[in-house]
Amino acid sequence: MQARILRLNLAGQPLEWLNWQEAACLYVRELVTWSLGGVVQRVHGGINRFGERSCLDLAAIIACGGERMARPRRRPPLTNRALFFRDAHTCMYCGNEFRTADLTRDHVHPVSKGGMDAWENVVTACRRCNQHKGNRLLEDIEMELLALPFCPNAAEYLALINNERIRGDQMEFLRGQFSRRRQEGWLAVSG
């Protein structure tokens, strides 16, 4: 899998993942103000009239300027992929780890009883536990949550959605912006 490039605003707040083509465009338009980390990819350009070939080294982390300072998302979108990574592919009822295909999204406070489809009300559940719980409240049945659901901040969300191809230098940068409780031991460093 191709490594992606982490884009920040000028204040160093993480915004999004870019492919190498998107990052190269930002470099060429001279919007990259500073960069961190190793080189993700070297892009070769054309040959000028002196016979010299241009090249561009794309850093793992780039901060971009522009007319306005881009703001990170306040609430990241809730997707099953990010949810399952947040909960480490572990059912929050039985505690067993499962493959993605065997997991479901469970609403702790069921939607049918006024619960919201929001980060703070959903957990990863295996099919068996989700079926057993159904649309009942936890206090009405003998089930307990192993961990409380939470909404990841922008850095945590970006780590979740790119966990399989994140580089060590990118994870180190993002981890510094994780909530205190999640700075250690949450999401293994890869790459």
Side-chain angles (χ1 to χ4, degrees):
M1 269 193 246
Q2 180 77 33
R4 301 192 71 187
I5 295 164
L6 178 61
R7 179 176 167 238
L8 316 173
N9 65 16
L10 287 176
Q13 297 168 308
L15 298 174
E16 63 184 338
W17 292 107
L18 302 173
N19 61 38
W20 69 267
Q21 294 95 330
E22 294 166 324
C25 286
L26 292 171
Y27 272 97
V28 171
R29 291 172 50 208
E30 297 182 355
L31 292 174
V32 176
T33 307
W34 52 273
S35 62
L36 292 171
V39 173
V40 170
Q41 185 161 344
R42 174 171 275 183
V43 179
H44 296 280
I47 299 172
N48 67 16
R49 64 182 175 184
F50 303 110
E52 301 163 336
R53 184 169 198 168
S54 64
C55 72
L56 190 59
D57 288 334
L58 307 176
I61 303 167
I62 59 173
C64 299
E67 293 177 19
R68 294 181 313 188
M69 177 138 96
R71 299 193 185 283
R73 290 181 176 144
R74 288 207 161 176
R75 289 196 60 84
L78 175 59
T79 64
N80 282 352
R81 176 179 163 77
L83 173 66
F84 298 162
F85 274 114
R86 181 197 73 180
D87 295 344
H89 285 79
T90 302
C91 175
M92 290 292 112
Y93 297 113
C94 70
N96 294 319
E97 193 173 323
F98 292 90
R99 296 176 309 126
T100 299
D102 298 322
L103 293 172
T104 62
R105 178 190 306 191
D106 180 62
H107 295 85
V108 178
H109 188 99
V111 174
S112 64
K113 297 190 182 328
M116 302 292 291
D117 189 35
W119 282 102
E120 297 85 349
N121 188 46
V122 295
V123 294
T124 299
C126 68
R127 294 187 186 284
R128 183 181 157 278
C129 287
N130 198 346
Q131 205 167 30
H132 175 70
K133 180 182 171 283
N135 69 342
R136 297 177 290 182
L137 299 170
L138 292 178
E139 52 266 19
D140 296 341
I141 56 176
E142 291 191 29
M143 287 181 85
E144 287 184 12
L145 276 176
L146 298 176
L148 293 175
F150 65 90
C151 180
N153 67 28
E156 293 164 347
Y157 177 74
L158 288 170
L160 288 171
I161 64 170
N162 196 40
N163 186 34
E164 294 171 328
R165 49 185 173 172
I166 196 167
R167 294 167 42 104
D169 49 3
Q170 294 166 332
M171 187 60 158
E172 184 180 335
F173 179 85
L174 289 172
R175 185 172 273 132
Q177 297 186 33
F178 284 5
S179 300
R180 268 210 170 125
R181 285 187 222 141
R182 293 182 286 278
Q183 284 190 4
E184 293 299 319
W186 189 60
L187 292 176
V189 177
S190 22

